[in-house]
């Protein structure tokens, strides 16, 4: 099966066809960028949304992955949101070239390793970019199947397992003693996210059955993992 074929028995969503009534690709890209910013607001701390927008601007300016341009933009160092924040830097390559799967894989890997990501984080970055690409055309269940198939020979089993929804991943952090209802959001909104696989699963689970973008973002933000909140905004 090629990367752009549907898994057996998986219909395309109504907006996939040329005559579909769903939002245009440009609308989906804009919604993803706005979703990342909304996730960052919900996380109440830098959640790598700025990195995502900076990479997207680099692509728009140069037309492709350009290590020197990214270096000039300060995107060769670690993310404020921890290792999982590097996944947000890979997302624009999926959003802007969703049908060129080899290019998405190559550029997502390069942007992550440019920042010093280890192999596991770089593969997770590829997964995030492929999910972002496929979610412009498919529902979360179909997108997850496609990404698992794409990475079957490259990703460790643990990461492939992260590409399944898991309700346990959305367990909120405990509310503060003076805020028992949790109205103020996560107890440690500034916490970094050093587990890219967990961030990926949280974001995927948050959008799996969510009927509203705000619901998906809030579900991810309440886990206390800020990169996951931005990712959920992108995927929603």
């Amino acid at each position: 099966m090629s990367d752009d074929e549907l898994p057996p028995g998986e219909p395309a969503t109504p907006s996939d066809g040329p005559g579909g009534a769903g939002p245009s690709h440009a609308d989906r890209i804009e919604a993803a960028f706005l979703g990342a910013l909304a996730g960052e607001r919900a996380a109440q701390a830098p959640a790598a949304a700025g990195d995502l927008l900076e990479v997207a601007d680099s692509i728009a300016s140069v037309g492709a992955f350009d290590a020197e341009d990214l270096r000039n933009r300060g995107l060769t160092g670690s993310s404020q949101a921890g290792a999982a924040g590097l996944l947000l830097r890979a997302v624009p390559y999926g959003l802007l070239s969703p049908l060129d799967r080899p290019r998405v894989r190559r550029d997502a890997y390069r942007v992550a390793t440019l920042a010093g990501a280890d192999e596991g984080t770089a593969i997770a970055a590829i997964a995030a970019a492929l999910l972002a690409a496929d979610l412009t055309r498919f529902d979360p269940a179909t997108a997850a199947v496609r990404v698992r198939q794409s990475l079957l020979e490259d990703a460790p089993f643990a990461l492939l397992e992260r590409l399944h929804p898991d309700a346990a991943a959305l367990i909120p952090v405990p509310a503060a003693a003076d805020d028992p209802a949790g109205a103020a959001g996560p107890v440690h909104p500034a916490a970094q996210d050093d587990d890219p696989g967990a961030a990926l699963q949280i974001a995927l689970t948050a959008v799996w059955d969510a009927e509203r973008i705000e619901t998906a973002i809030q579900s991810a933000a309440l886990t206390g993992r800020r990169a996951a909140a931005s990712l959920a905004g992108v995927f929603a």
Side-chain angles (χ1 to χ4, degrees):
M1 177 185 297
S2 71
D3 279 336
D4 285 317
E5 291 178 353
L6 280 168
E10 292 287 358
T13 57
S15 60
D16 289 333
S24 70
H25 181 63
D27 290 338
R28 289 176 182 269
I29 292 174
E30 181 180 9
F33 290 169
L34 291 174
L37 291 169
E40 186 165 274
R41 286 195 299 272
Q44 303 176 33
D51 288 357
L52 181 154
L53 296 177
E54 197 68 41
V55 171
D57 187 64
S58 173
I59 298 169
S61 299
V62 183
F65 174 91
D66 188 296
E68 187 61 28
D69 187 68
L70 294 171
R71 191 172 289 110
N72 292 337
R73 294 168 183 266
L75 294 171
T76 58
S78 59
S79 167
Q80 288 181 298
L86 298 180
L87 275 57
L88 274 296
R89 299 184 190 178
V91 161
Y93 296 103
L95 291 173
L96 299 174
S97 302
L99 300 182
D100 192 344
R101 223 161 176 79
R103 179 179 177 180
V104 171
R105 290 173 61 114
R106 180 182 66 249
D107 290 348
Y109 183 88
R110 291 167 76 187
V111 76
T113 55
L114 184 67
D118 60 27
E119 187 70 10
T121 299
I123 298 298
I126 294 175
L130 290 176
L131 272 175
D134 284 351
L135 285 169
T136 65
R137 299 186 293 148
F138 305 110
D139 61 87
T142 304
V145 169
R146 286 169 55 84
V147 175
R148 287 197 300 272
Q149 290 177 335
S150 293
L151 297 179
L152 198 57
E153 296 181 1
D154 303 308
F157 179 76
L159 179 59
L160 294 175
E161 284 297 292
R162 296 289 198 179
L163 292 169
H164 293 276
D166 181 3
L170 295 181
I171 296 175
V173 294
D178 58 351
D179 180 31
V187 173
H188 45 85
Q192 290 189 340
D193 188 348
D194 292 321
D195 188 339
L200 199 60
Q201 186 171 50
I202 288 168
L204 182 62
T205 304
V207 304
W208 197 265
D209 291 316
E211 296 182 358
R212 293 171 55 84
I213 294 174
E214 296 85 350
T215 302
I217 291 173
Q218 193 62 23
S219 294
L222 287 174
T223 66
R225 295 179 181 269
R226 48 177 160 158
S230 278
L231 272 179
V234 170
F235 294 163

